[in-house]
Every structure is written in structure tokens, then in C-alpha cells.
Amino acid sequence: MKLQRNGRSKALAIGALAVVSSLSLAACGSDDNSKTNAGSTPAAAATTSAGSTTDTATGGAADCGKGGQLLAAGSTAQANAIEVWKAAFQGQCSGTVINYNGNGSGAGIANFNQGKVAFAGSDAALKPEEVDASKQVCAGGQGIDLPMVGGAVAIAYNVEGVDNLVLDATTLAEIFNSKITKWNDPAIAKLNPGVKLPDANIQAYHRSDDSGTTKNLTAYFVAAADKGAWPYEADKKWVGKGGQGATGSAGLAGQVKQQKNSITYVELSYAQNNSLNTAKIATGAAEPVEATAENAAKTIGLAQVSGTGSDLALSLDYATKADGAYPLVLVTYEIVCDKGNKADTLPGVKAFLNYTISDEAQQAIADKGYVPLPAEIASKVKAVIPTLA
């Protein structure tokens, strides 16, 4: 069973072992600026009511919001992280129920801009036209991007007898655009000397729904592949030729698990959960780079904030050639209004986001193949959440 975890650092392993204790000790966030600006949750808490927990370390109370149901939708890449966070948050804030519909980044943004959800998850930052549309539901404000989940986009494949495959940006772009159609194509063989590649047709699967994961994959092609290998712009909508579509990350992983000689792209946790092999990526570094949380963290750590004001959209270096830096990464944003959030859900949204950006919550998803956000980025998110209105 190829779980692709061998490259994970000892630090992440220790963080993963601490998941159980972090889930039991994590509190639910606070609207009190003196706590949220520090970006931490109480070291220990005991539930006192549906709306609050008592911080046994300080003797204070952490606000869980007003309770009730919080509706959210979007990115399937972050769905496994949301499940971990929901269990911890709802365990401490029993009066609040998080209902997250992993219907894809495009659908989540549409739901948000229709006023149907309190927040949305997207693996791609809002486009200018999406920001404009958000002003209709964010009274006096607009939608902003808050980085929350980091991860690797794994190239998952199912080729009998091949469990150590190397690909690069150009071969991947040409596979997903139906220019390379055989597994023993010379371009693939050149990257895999000594590997017995079958004389079999490649079955490529792509997202049929608008997807931020697709946007990150195609941005990687645009940045790192040879000119002409991917003659399109990066987009959430699939535009490559050929292949077959499937809905959501779970749908792609399920298809590849069943279909021999197939290949797709999914957030790393979906490859791990389905015991799928993942390709190493030749980037121009000394060695091809494995899809691991540790290697993705090196690339995400180099990200720069490109958004303005409260918007924390990031610029990622998909063309990195740094040793050990996995280039195919994504950052999922939680999209909220900077101003004009609904009064009945705003306290709960702030409480939940305060928890998800906490050190405890970020470490809690490390064992799921995700990448805890770098401290510099996390601190910026922690500073924005109390300002939401």
C-alpha cells in the first residue's frame, strides 16, 4: 500500500501524534481581540454551556458564537480537513453545527455570492468578477480570501507493475491534453529509465465540475511546462482535450482506483485514503520530488501575499526548482465578507475560523496529508478574523 508518507519530517510526525490531545483540548475561538490576535486557543477547556467553554488555564470563557447551524460549501480538496475540524469544534461548541457541502470551488463561490452560505472554500482566489458579484451579498463590503488549508496536488495513477513513476510538467500537460496517449511513450520512458512501462493507452481523468484544484494544476502547466505543451490559460473549468470527467476529488480518486492504466490529480489525502500510487515530479532539482506534506510545505512556505487590505490571496511558485520542494501545491481559502456578514452567523463564523487557524487545528490535519500554514501567513489570517463585520 503506497501512502507516500515516507518523506514526512519528524516534526510533522510528532504533530500528527498530538492530534488526539489537540482535538480534546482545542477551544472554539474568540471574538475577544486580546485572544484572537494572539492566534491561540486555550490550553484546556471544559464545556459550560452550548455557547461557551471555560478556559481552565486562564479562568476566562471562550465564545463559541450564538450556536445554531453554519452552512458552508466549496472545495472538495479541503473536505477531509473540514471533517477533522468539525469534530473538534462541535465537540467543544455543542450548540453549533457546521454543515459543509463539498460541491467544488466553483459551486461554493456561486453559493456564497448567492447568499446561500456563511462562508465558502475555494482552492483558487476570487476572480475580480467574483469579487464584484460578492458586493451584492456583502453589504458595504466584499468577499475576501483567507488562506486556511495547504496541501499537495498529487498525481495519482494506477499502472500495474509500476510503483515508482517520475513525470514532469511537460509530460503531464501533454498527457492531460491527449498529446501523449501511451504509457510507454518515449517522453515518459526517458524520465523512467529501467522501468517496464506497458504498451497501453493512458486513461486520464479530470474534474467535470469547476475546481480550484484544476486551477492549480493548470497554473502549474502554464508556469513550468515547455511552451505549447499546455496552450490554454489556468482556469477552474477544464479545457484540455480528451480524457474523462468525474465530479469532485473523491470521484477522481474512485475512478483511478478502479481503472487500470489511469491517471488523475487529487489533493494528497484522497490518494492516501484510496491507497493510490503518486508520481514524483522532475522539476530540475537534484532529484525528482515526492508528493508529501513536508515537500509541499517547502513550496507553500515561499508563497507571497498578493491580495490587498484584508484579502490574503497568495502567489505560489509552481516553477520552483528548489531541492525537495514539491511544485504542485494548493492553498484553500475560506471566503467571507470583510463587511456585511449576516449578524446571526458572524459570531459562529469567526469562532470557527479562529479555531481552524489555531496551531492546534493546523497540526491536527497534518496526518491527513495536509500542510500546516507557515506561521507568517497564519499570523496574518489571525489578525484579520477579529476585524470581520
Side-chain angles (χ1 to χ4, degrees), residues 126 161 188 190 207 246 281 292 302 326 346 350 352-353 367 383:
L126 291 167
I188 301 177
K190 184 178 180 180
R207 288 283 288 272
I281 304 297
T292 67
L302 299 174
Y326 185 78
L346 177 58
K350 292 170 75 172
F352 183 63
L353 295 183
D367 195 42

Side-chain angles (χ1 to χ4, degrees), residues 25-350:
L25 298 179
C28 310
S30 172
D31 289 340
D32 181 346
N33 288 359
S34 66
K35 292 182 180 181
T36 53
N37 285 344
S40 62
T41 53
T47 302
T48 58
S49 70
S52 65
T53 59
T54 297
D55 178 356
T56 58
T58 65
D63 188 0
C64 288
K66 295 182 178 180
Q69 187 178 61
L70 289 180
L71 299 180
S75 164
T76 63
Q78 74 166 1
N80 290 332
I82 290 288
E83 286 303 308
V84 172
W85 288 338
K86 280 172 55 179
F89 184 83
Q90 292 174 172
Q92 295 295 331
C93 298
S94 58
T96 302
V97 176
I98 311 294
N99 189 334
Y100 183 80
N101 179 15
N103 56 358
S105 297
I109 292 171
N111 291 161
F112 179 79
N113 283 342
Q114 293 161 359
K116 294 180 178 179
V117 295
F119 67 92
S122 176
D123 305 327
L126 291 167
K127 296 179 179 179
E129 58 268 29
E130 292 168 338
V131 174
D132 288 341
S134 73
K135 295 177 182 178
Q136 300 300 313
V137 295
C138 300
Q142 64 183 44
I144 58 172
D145 304 285
L146 298 181
M148 199 62 68
V149 181
V153 180
I155 301 300
Y157 67 95
N158 179 355
V159 181
E160 190 172 1
V162 180
D163 58 7
N164 189 18
L165 182 68
V166 176
L167 297 169
D168 63 12
T170 300
T171 56
L172 280 167
E174 293 186 341
I175 286 171
F176 282 104
N177 200 33
S178 298
K179 290 183 179 179
I180 293 178
T181 59
K182 291 280 191 178
W183 277 110
N184 63 348
D185 185 278
I188 301 177
K190 184 178 180 180
L191 291 167
N192 296 273
V195 176
K196 186 176 181 181
L197 298 165
D199 182 15
N201 292 329
I202 298 173
Q203 177 58 67
Y205 286 97
H206 58 262
R207 288 283 288 272
S208 57
D209 53 324
D210 287 3
S211 162
T213 310
T214 296
K215 175 70 176 289
N216 284 276
L217 176 79
T218 55
Y220 164 67
F221 291 162
V222 171
D226 290 348
K227 186 176 181 179
W230 188 257
Y232 319 105
E233 294 182 357
D235 204 323
K236 292 195 290 284
K237 187 181 297 294
W238 185 258
V239 295
K241 296 179 180 178
Q244 292 188 24
T247 302
S249 298
L252 291 181
Q255 290 291 341
V256 170
K257 188 171 185 177
Q258 297 173 15
Q259 180 67 47
K260 289 184 179 180
N261 300 314
S262 59
I263 189 169
T264 194
Y265 56 96
V266 290
E267 194 280 322
L268 180 59
S269 69
Y270 288 89
Q272 292 178 340
N273 290 347
N274 287 276
S275 303
L276 296 174
N277 287 320
T278 61
K280 295 178 181 178
I281 304 297
T283 64
E287 298 289 342
V289 186
E290 186 178 359
T292 67
E294 178 187 10
N295 292 342
K298 294 179 181 179
T299 302
I300 293 173
L302 299 174
Q304 299 293 318
V305 174
S306 57
T308 58
S310 296
D311 186 274
L312 299 178
L314 299 176
S315 177
L316 298 168
D317 183 8
Y318 300 102
T320 180
K321 296 182 180 180
D323 287 345
Y326 185 78
L328 237 176
V329 296
L330 60 79
V331 171
T332 292
Y333 302 94
E334 307 308 343
I335 295 169
V336 294
C337 298
D338 57 356
K339 297 177 182 178
N341 291 279
K342 294 180 180 179
D344 58 337
T345 58
L346 177 58
V349 169
K350 292 170 75 172

